[in-house]
Amino acid sequence: MRTLLILFSIIFSFSNLQASEVSEWFKKESNQFLEIINNNEGTENENYENYKYFINKNFAIKSIAYGLIGENIVNKSSKNELSLYLDVFTDYLIKTIYKLANSNSSSSIILKDVDIKDNIFIVKSIISDKKSSANLYWKVIDTGSSFKIIDVIVENTSYFVTKKSEFNKILRKNRGSLEALIIEIQKI
Amino acid sequence: MQKHLKVILLIISVTFLQIPLSYSNEEETVSGISYDEIYDPIEPINRAILNFNFFIDDIAIRPIVKTYKFIAPEPVEKGVSNFFSNLKEPIRSVSFIFQGEFYKSLNSLGRFTINTITSIGTIDVASRVGMEKNETDFGITLAKGGVSSGPYIIVPIIGPSNLRDFSGDVVEYFVDPISNSVPNRGYVAIGNGLNERVEVDDQLDKVRGASSDRYEMIKSIYYQNRNAQLEEEYIQNLPVPKIYIE
């Protein structure tokens, strides 16, 4: 019984420690994200580069990209095809996040809560500007060396779920052709 | 009233009759992922209506909305939004009764009374005294009663819906105590519709440029928002990608 209690308290304190680490990381990175959103007076190219840096640093790009096309397509595609897809998808991710966020001028992102489910941190925050506020959730994994975002949910709309519907549609229309998907997402 | 009742009964029976047809197709997609595909048997028609809606929005509704947002000071915009939301409290109260949520039903009624008396509904005084707004509608009532969503539809001018939710909207239109007690309910409906369009204006602007298929994007967003109203722990249960070493 005593061993069980000790084990339980170790696990509990470990998850608390992880939650506080992810909170610290979130505060730092959300501030940087705010800076990028608000500092949009540069050229289109400069703004894009700022988003690119943030996304490359903080997003689990490979997991999101492969998750969107599914394991079967990942397994049957060649290394070169996957590498090309990953490059094109990275650009697509940056452009779509840029388009979704760039027209905003947010004044704050306030951390509300950190929840853990199946080793995924669900960071709940409120993003506000002068007029309104919205719930913003980041689903985050610990890769060992850093934390990486696997999904962003604004109010109830998940980036991953929405893009999965879109990608599935394109893949179904083109009999599972990764090449067709690459051409389609390059149009953005 | 008898005529209205017939329409309501007809809609309810159509909704219930199509239950066996309306289960989502659990199918193996070409990507090999088994997922719940949204039931969308009239996609070509829906796509045409969506294009029509965007066309009407571009030439008529959007300019009105943009002008209104430019002219109206923020407190006015907020007041108008509160006013239309307050008009829906009585029908929310009725919906909650059907859902067995009696406390929420009383809360909606209380909110309506307080907000109407203090500010004709333009200021949400009730929230300030701890009576928070709870969103619901007849579509949710039907969903909680076990009616599945039915086919996805895009309603001309109105936008995305499904057979269940649209049936709920029509029922609401006829049984809503507020719109039944005003001389011309059409004006209230138009005002409410425009107000809802104002509220989603920013999101709509973003949808225009951030998607390779706006039809799929809008459909997905619509269902995610409806599911969020129905499911507990919705955020926690959203699918996530399998983790690959970065």
Side-chain angles (χ1 to χ4, degrees):
Chain A
M1 187 64 187
R2 226 178 106 194
T3 326
L4 254 175
L5 276 173
I6 293 168
L7 199 67
F8 180 73
S9 26
I10 290 171
I11 292 168
F12 183 71
S13 53
F14 182 67
S15 62
N16 262 351
L17 186 73
Q18 276 195 311
S20 85
E21 274 179 34
V22 84
S23 301
E24 282 306 308
W25 167 85
F26 176 82
K27 280 175 193 163
K28 194 176 144 217
E29 297 306 327
S30 60
N31 277 336
Q32 203 200 343
F33 187 58
L34 270 182
E35 248 176 60
I36 295 171
I37 293 176
N38 293 326
N39 186 17
N40 54 6
E41 284 162 6
T43 62
E44 186 94 345
N45 199 36
E46 283 167 350
N47 294 339
Y48 175 83
E49 287 300 318
N50 289 336
Y51 277 89
K52 188 178 174 180
Y53 173 76
F54 180 82
I55 286 166
N56 276 323
K57 185 180 161 202
N58 291 306
F59 277 68
I61 298 174
K62 193 173 176 183
S63 301
I64 300 170
Y66 287 8
L68 288 174
I69 57 174
E71 231 176 328
N72 272 10
I73 290 187
V74 172
N75 291 338
K76 77 175 189 190
S77 302
S78 69
K79 264 189 172 179
N80 285 344
E81 281 174 319
L82 287 175
S83 165
L84 174 65
Y85 167 64
L86 207 54
D87 286 345
V88 173
F89 176 75
T90 306
D91 190 48
Y92 177 85
L93 179 69
I94 297 164
K95 282 179 181 164
T96 47
I97 298 274
Y98 174 63
K99 281 182 179 170
L100 290 170
N102 199 41
S103 53
N104 288 349
S105 58
S106 302
S107 48
S108 69
I109 299 179
I110 298 162
L111 176 68
K112 300 302 280 185
D113 186 28
V114 179
D115 195 9
I116 305 172
K117 192 190 176 193
D118 302 330
N119 292 325
I120 293 168
F121 297 96
I122 303 165
V123 185
K124 185 187 175 184
S125 64
I126 307 270
I127 183 163
S128 330
D129 58 17
K130 285 175 199 161
K131 281 174 90 176
S132 57
S133 62
N135 289 319
L136 171 71
Y137 298 87
W138 294 10
K139 287 200 173 179
V140 175
I141 51 160
D142 183 359
T143 62
S145 54
S146 63
F147 292 107
K148 296 273 184 191
I149 301 164
I150 53 168
D151 196 10
V152 178
I153 302 143
V154 181
E155 283 299 329
N156 301 312
T157 304
S158 144
Y159 183 88
F160 180 73
V161 173
T162 308
K163 291 297 162 195
K164 192 158 180 62
S165 311
E166 285 179 49
F167 282 28
N168 262 330
K169 186 76 191 183
I170 298 166
L171 286 168
R172 268 187 295 133
K173 223 164 60 181
N174 295 286
R175 298 175 179 277
S177 161
L178 187 59
E179 201 187 328
L181 178 71
I182 291 170
I183 293 168
E184 203 59 45
I185 63 176
Q186 269 175 327
K187 289 178 189 167
I188 275 278
Chain B
M1 188 61 201
Q2 213 179 3
K3 196 176 145 197
H4 290 164
L5 200 67
K6 276 182 189 167
V7 176
I8 293 163
L9 284 174
L10 181 73
I11 289 161
I12 291 173
S13 21
V14 167
T15 309
F16 279 88
L17 274 175
Q18 62 79 46
I19 294 172
L21 302 172
S22 64
Y23 292 114
S24 302
N25 296 334
E26 176 98 351
E27 67 169 35
E28 191 77 358
T29 68
V30 284
S31 58
I33 302 161
S34 183
Y35 74 108
D36 280 340
E37 194 194 344
I38 295 163
Y39 185 51
D40 188 6
I42 53 162
E43 188 185 323
I45 299 168
N46 280 339
R47 280 187 183 267
I49 299 173
L50 183 72
N51 288 338
F52 169 76
N53 284 358
F54 266 107
F55 172 71
I56 296 292
D57 192 69
D58 283 339
I59 60 160
I61 302 169
R62 195 163 180 243
I64 297 172
V65 169
K66 294 287 178 199
T67 313
Y68 168 72
K69 285 183 80 175
F70 181 72
I71 294 170
E74 260 173 59
V76 172
E77 211 181 295
K78 185 78 187 155
V80 171
S81 170
N82 284 341
F83 173 78
F84 282 107
S85 177
N86 189 52
L87 291 184
K88 284 186 187 163
E89 290 292 5
I91 193 68
R92 284 189 197 115
S93 178
V94 175
S95 289
F96 279 131
I97 289 175
F98 282 117
Q99 291 168 29
E101 302 260 20
F102 300 110
Y103 175 76
K104 286 183 178 171
S105 173
L106 278 175
N107 183 65
S108 290
L109 218 52
R111 283 177 49 79
F112 178 73
T113 312
I114 292 172
N115 289 339
T116 307
I117 290 171
T118 53
S119 63
I120 340 166
T122 55
I123 302 168
D124 190 1
V125 180
S127 283
R128 293 176 195 181
V129 293
M131 295 170 80
E132 294 296 329
K133 182 164 90 177
N134 298 302
E135 285 288 356
T136 196
D137 54 54
F138 262 62
I140 294 198
T141 307
L142 289 171
K144 286 188 174 171
V147 179
S148 57
S149 60
Y152 176 66
I153 50 174
I154 304 254
V155 186
I157 314 288
I158 293 170
S161 190
N162 56 48
L163 190 62
R164 178 191 64 208
D165 294 343
F166 183 61
S167 307
D169 289 342
V170 177
V171 172
E172 269 189 15
Y173 182 75
F174 287 110
V175 301
D176 185 351
I178 294 296
S179 57
N180 270 312
S181 54
V182 294
N184 195 337
R185 67 172 68 177
Y187 291 132
V188 177
I190 291 168
N192 186 46
L194 275 174
N195 178 58
E196 282 179 6
R197 173 62 184 78
V198 170
E199 285 174 357
V200 297
D201 187 52
D202 290 341
Q203 289 95 310
L204 258 182
D205 282 348
K206 284 171 186 170
V207 167
R208 285 168 192 263
S211 171
S212 38
D213 185 346
R214 68 182 176 189
Y215 176 82
E216 280 301 317
M217 188 182 199
I218 290 170
K219 184 163 78 175
S220 179
I221 291 172
Y222 178 76
Y223 274 88
Q224 286 180 61
N225 278 292
R226 291 304 275 177
N227 287 341
Q229 288 177 293
L230 288 164
E231 273 178 44
E232 292 203 3
E233 300 205 320
Y234 163 79
I235 300 288
Q236 284 82 346
N237 294 331
L238 277 169
V240 285
K242 183 184 165 186
I243 308 304
Y244 288 85
I245 298 162
E246 297 291 322

